[in-house]
């Protein structure tokens, strides 16, 4: 057993209001430079919808992630080394600018410099940020936000569902899905990179791009099933979400977490057995991937953890980690598309709100657990849709999570109003009163230091990192990281045991 630490995130989708503050602050911090106009390390999608870039979840088209070959071995969907090298100069599995959007800028000066007395009010027209030519804005990273799920008929998740779904306007539903790089335990982008520029940091699992080694082959873009690797068209280098590693190293949460208006993000450490990753990603049935990944995680209270050589501060942070609690203790957080076999480490608490809306629409009481339970059992949408997103189509798992959330709401309501303990609710979900109350506190009223448990061991590096920045200037996005490797001697190329076979 080789125990590793992974910085991970959980997002509670019931608390996302779609304000896009996380997207804007991430954009201003990391991608406000030439060549990154279309790049959104963090974006908030409206589901159902086709996402950003368009149809990124359609792996029959993009060939992202992993699959099992005829012998049950794990291989990249984009092909082995030989196949990738044969088309290294002409990769067909790349989204075009139309799949993203052509970034626009506006001539704002016309509003203040137009002469007086004009018959018509001056208008700032959009111009392409790439060519400078006038253009019409027809798509964007958050375009579906105003469509209320009405583009859902083209959603790849609906196409995969066993029951054909007809989205009628009066019956439509929607929720917001914030997305960043998943910083996977088994990252396809790392294995697909011909130059070895993509790497997974050994100390905290963050996946980065060495800008000095990147040659712009773009195989990482094709291999990432979440399409969270971008190419800076000015430099020709790959860039991606860095999990704000300079902030993490200074003991601070990511910028998207820090500025989240809904307080829906949780940040912490998860310990896992590196030797168990290959077996967990290679289970035959896609519906078993969730439990296989959970089984690869290590209980931070396990005596074996103390013998793994991890710093005491890391072990303490893992034991206090809200991410570990939501994923493995309360078991209400789920990974995004586990069927991609990358073992993602950004997980989600599925939204209960569409179920509550359906409960009220059916004339039932959305504060009564029994009525909510009946609605969850009867409702094929969005429960089946949520299963396509988070459990490879395993509906009972999502149903169980929603029932836990509904039971928590009803239990806390009764306890607050008249002090009663609804033991039958606790029995129905297999949790104790203490567990439900602790889960409620974490989901609803957790304080800053409960939501973000960043290892204190990183804080000691802050001074050294600031000195490096003063000496070498700002590190580029996803930067070379070479200076940082020299600074503390702990960083290096993470040798991924899951390199694809040619």
């Amino acid at each position: 057993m080789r125990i590793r630490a992974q910085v991970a995130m959980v997002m509670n989708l019931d608390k996302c209001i779609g304000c896009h503050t996380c997207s804007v602050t991430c954009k201003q911090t990391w991608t406000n430079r030439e060549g990154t106009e279309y790049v959104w390390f963090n974006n908030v999608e409206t589901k159902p919808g086709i996402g950003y870039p368009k149809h990124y979840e359609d792996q029959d088209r993009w060939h992202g992630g992993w699959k099992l070959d005829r012998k049950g071995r794990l291989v990249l969907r984009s092909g082995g080394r030989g196949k990738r090298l044969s088309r290294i100069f002409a990769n067909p599995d790349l989204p075009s600018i139309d799949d993203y959007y052509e970034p626009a800028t506006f001539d704002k000066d016309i509003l203040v410099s137009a002469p007086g007395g004009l018959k018509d009010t001056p208008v700032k027209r959009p111009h392409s940020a790439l060519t400078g030519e006038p253009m019409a804005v027809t798509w964007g990273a958050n375009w579906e936000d105003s469509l209320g799920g009405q583009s859902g008929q083209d959603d790849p998740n609906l196409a995969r569902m066993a029951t054909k779904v007809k989205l009628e306007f009066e019956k439509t539903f929607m929720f917001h899905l914030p997305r960043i790089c998943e910083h996977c335990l088994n990252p396809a982008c790392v294995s697909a990179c011909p130059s070895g520029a993509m790497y997974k940091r050994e100390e905290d699992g963050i996946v980065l791009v060495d800008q000095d080694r990147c040659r712009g082959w773009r195989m990482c873009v094709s291999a990432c099933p979440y399409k969270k690797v971008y190419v800076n068209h000015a430099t020709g280098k790959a860039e991606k979400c860095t999990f704000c590693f300079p902030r993490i190293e200074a003991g601070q949460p990511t910028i998207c977490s820090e500025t989240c208006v809904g307080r829906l993000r949780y940040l912490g450490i998860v310990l896992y057995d590196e030797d168990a990753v290959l077996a967990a990603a290679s289970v035959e049935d896609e519906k078993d991937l969730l439990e296989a990944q959970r089984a690869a995680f290590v209980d931070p209270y396990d005596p074996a953890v103390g013998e793994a050589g991890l710093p005491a501060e890391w072990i303490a942070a893992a034991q206090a980690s809200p991410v570990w609690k939501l994923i493995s203790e309360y078991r209400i957080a789920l990974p995004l598309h586990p069927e991609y076999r990358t073992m993602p480490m950004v997980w989600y608490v599925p939204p209960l709100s569409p179920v509550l809306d359906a409960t009220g629409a059916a004339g039932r009481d959305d504060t009564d657990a029994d009525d909510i339970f009946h609605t969850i059992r009867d409702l094929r949408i969005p429960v089946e849709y949520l299963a396509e997103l988070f459990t490879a189509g395993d509906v009972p798992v999502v149903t169980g999570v929603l029932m836990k959330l509904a039971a928590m709401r009803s239990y806390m309501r009764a306890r607050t109003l008249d002090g009663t303990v609804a033991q039958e609710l606790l029995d129905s979900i297999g949790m104790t009163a203490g567990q439900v109350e602790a889960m409620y506190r974490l989901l609803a009223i957790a304080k800053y230091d409960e939501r973000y448990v960043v290892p204190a061991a990183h804080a000691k590096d802050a001074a050294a990192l600031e000195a490096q920045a003063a000496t070498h200037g700002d590190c580029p996005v996803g930067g070379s990281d070479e200076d940082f490797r020299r600074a503390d001697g702990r960083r290096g190329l993470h040798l991924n045991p899951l390199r694809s076979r040619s």
Side-chain angles (χ1 to χ4, degrees):
M1 177 184 290
R2 289 185 296 174
I3 298 178
R4 300 288 191 191
Q6 170 81 42
V7 178
M9 183 183 290
V10 170
M11 302 190 211
N12 183 1
L13 297 184
D14 251 341
K15 300 175 76 175
C16 183
I17 60 175
C19 66
H20 304 282
T21 303
C22 52
S23 299
V24 173
T25 52
C26 177
K27 185 72 174 174
Q28 291 297 318
T29 303
W30 292 107
T31 61
N32 60 348
R33 298 161 286 109
E34 181 185 2
T36 61
E37 294 89 351
Y38 79 104
V39 174
W40 294 85
F41 288 169
N42 183 114
N43 70 296
V44 182
E45 296 173 357
T46 301
K47 290 294 187 178
I50 61 178
Y52 180 77
K54 295 177 182 177
H55 305 286
Y56 74 91
E57 294 162 298
D58 185 0
Q59 302 313 325
D60 291 334
R61 176 182 180 184
W62 302 119
H63 306 111
W66 302 84
K67 66 177 181 178
L68 297 180
D69 65 11
R70 294 179 180 178
K71 296 181 179 180
R73 299 179 305 177
L74 199 64
V75 296
L76 288 172
R77 289 178 65 94
S78 58
R81 249 186 234 106
K83 181 178 180 180
R84 293 200 308 279
L85 289 174
S86 69
R87 57 181 188 177
I88 196 167
F89 296 107
N91 182 2
D93 299 328
L94 285 174
S96 68
I97 194 65
D98 292 332
D99 294 309
Y100 295 102
Y101 69 100
E102 187 169 2
T105 186
F106 297 87
D107 181 12
K108 300 178 182 178
D109 184 61
I110 193 174
L111 300 181
V112 295
S113 61
L118 292 177
K119 181 179 179 180
D120 299 318
T121 303
V123 176
K124 54 178 185 179
R125 292 187 174 88
H127 289 73
S128 171
L130 303 181
T131 66
E133 298 296 324
M135 61 171 288
V137 179
T138 58
W139 191 255
N142 303 313
W143 194 263
E144 295 173 298
D145 189 48
S146 301
L147 301 181
Q150 289 305 297
S151 61
Q153 63 270 16
D154 297 321
D155 189 323
N157 298 292
L158 292 177
R160 288 195 301 268
M161 292 174 59
T163 303
K164 185 173 177 60
V165 179
K166 181 180 179 181
L167 288 179
E168 300 176 11
F169 178 78
E170 65 273 12
K171 295 182 180 179
T172 191
F173 64 94
M174 58 170 281
F175 61 91
H176 299 293
L177 181 72
R179 289 204 308 120
I180 64 173
C181 168
E182 298 287 334
H183 295 277
C184 309
L185 297 185
N186 178 30
C189 58
V190 172
S191 289
C193 179
S195 57
M198 304 283 296
Y199 66 99
K200 186 173 178 65
R201 298 209 308 184
E202 188 172 348
E203 68 270 27
D204 55 18
I206 296 176
V207 178
L208 295 176
V209 185
D210 187 332
Q211 296 285 285
D212 292 337
R213 299 186 68 176
C214 179
R215 296 294 178 266
W217 298 121
R218 310 187 184 197
M219 294 297 177
C220 52
V221 180
S222 301
C224 175
Y226 304 98
K227 291 296 173 279
K228 277 299 176 181
V229 183
Y230 302 87
V231 175
N232 182 320
H233 64 78
T235 65
K237 305 283 189 176
E239 297 187 7
K240 61 178 293 300
C241 163
T242 66
F243 228 130
C244 292
F245 73 89
R247 292 178 58 89
I248 294 291
E249 289 173 341
Q252 300 174 347
T254 61
I255 195 67
C256 59
S257 300
E258 181 81 66
T259 59
C260 177
V261 174
R263 299 183 178 182
L264 60 99
R265 298 180 187 236
Y266 300 82
L267 198 65
I269 289 293
V270 173
L271 304 180
Y272 69 97
D273 179 9
E274 188 177 38
D275 293 334
V277 171
L278 177 58
S282 303
V283 296
E284 183 176 357
D285 191 341
E286 292 181 344
K287 294 182 179 179
D288 294 333
L289 286 166
L290 169 59
E291 284 308 313
Q293 184 170 356
R294 278 199 177 120
F297 297 151
V298 178
D299 188 336
Y301 293 96
D302 189 326
V305 172
E307 303 171 2
L310 295 174
E313 296 92 340
W314 281 71
I315 297 176
Q319 292 173 346
S321 171
V323 175
W324 161 259
K325 293 175 183 176
L326 293 170
I327 291 175
S328 295
E329 185 175 343
Y330 306 140
R331 299 173 69 86
I332 58 173
L334 303 171
L336 182 63
H337 291 300
E339 69 273 16
Y340 297 162
R341 299 181 182 271
T342 60
M343 300 184 71
M345 289 307 297
V346 176
W347 290 42
Y348 297 86
V349 178
L352 185 62
S353 50
V355 177
L356 298 180
D357 292 340
T359 304
R364 297 170 176 166
D365 185 356
D366 62 7
T367 64
D368 184 86
D370 286 337
D371 280 358
I372 298 174
F373 283 4
H374 285 304
T375 304
I376 293 173
R377 291 191 182 99
D378 296 340
L379 196 64
R380 305 193 70 80
I381 302 294
V383 176
E384 283 192 354
Y385 181 81
L386 295 176
E388 288 294 332
L389 279 176
F390 302 119
T391 61
D394 194 349
V395 175
V397 174
V398 175
T399 300
V401 171
L402 296 179
M403 286 186 173
K404 279 187 181 181
L405 297 174
M408 178 194 72
R409 290 167 59 99
S410 296
Y411 174 86
M412 293 304 300
R413 179 182 177 86
R415 181 182 176 278
T416 302
L417 291 179
D418 54 22
T420 58
V421 176
Q423 188 60 44
E424 67 281 1
L425 278 179
L426 300 177
D427 294 340
S428 68
I429 59 173
M431 297 180 71
T432 66
Q435 288 176 318
V436 169
E437 293 178 19
M439 183 170 72
Y440 167 77
R441 176 176 179 81
L442 185 58
L443 290 176
I445 58 175
K447 303 298 183 183
Y448 185 94
D449 57 356
E450 294 175 291
R451 289 183 284 121
Y452 311 135
V453 182
V454 181
H458 273 314
K460 65 182 176 59
D461 296 331
L465 292 168
E466 289 177 1
Q468 289 288 343
T471 303
H472 301 286
D474 293 335
C475 177
V477 174
S480 72
D481 210 43
E482 198 65 39
D483 292 332
F484 295 141
R485 275 199 287 273
R486 288 193 292 267
D488 64 9
R490 291 188 299 111
R491 296 171 179 81
L493 180 64
H494 177 69
L495 298 179
N496 191 329
L498 304 181
R499 289 278 181 180
S500 70
R501 303 169 179 84
S502 56

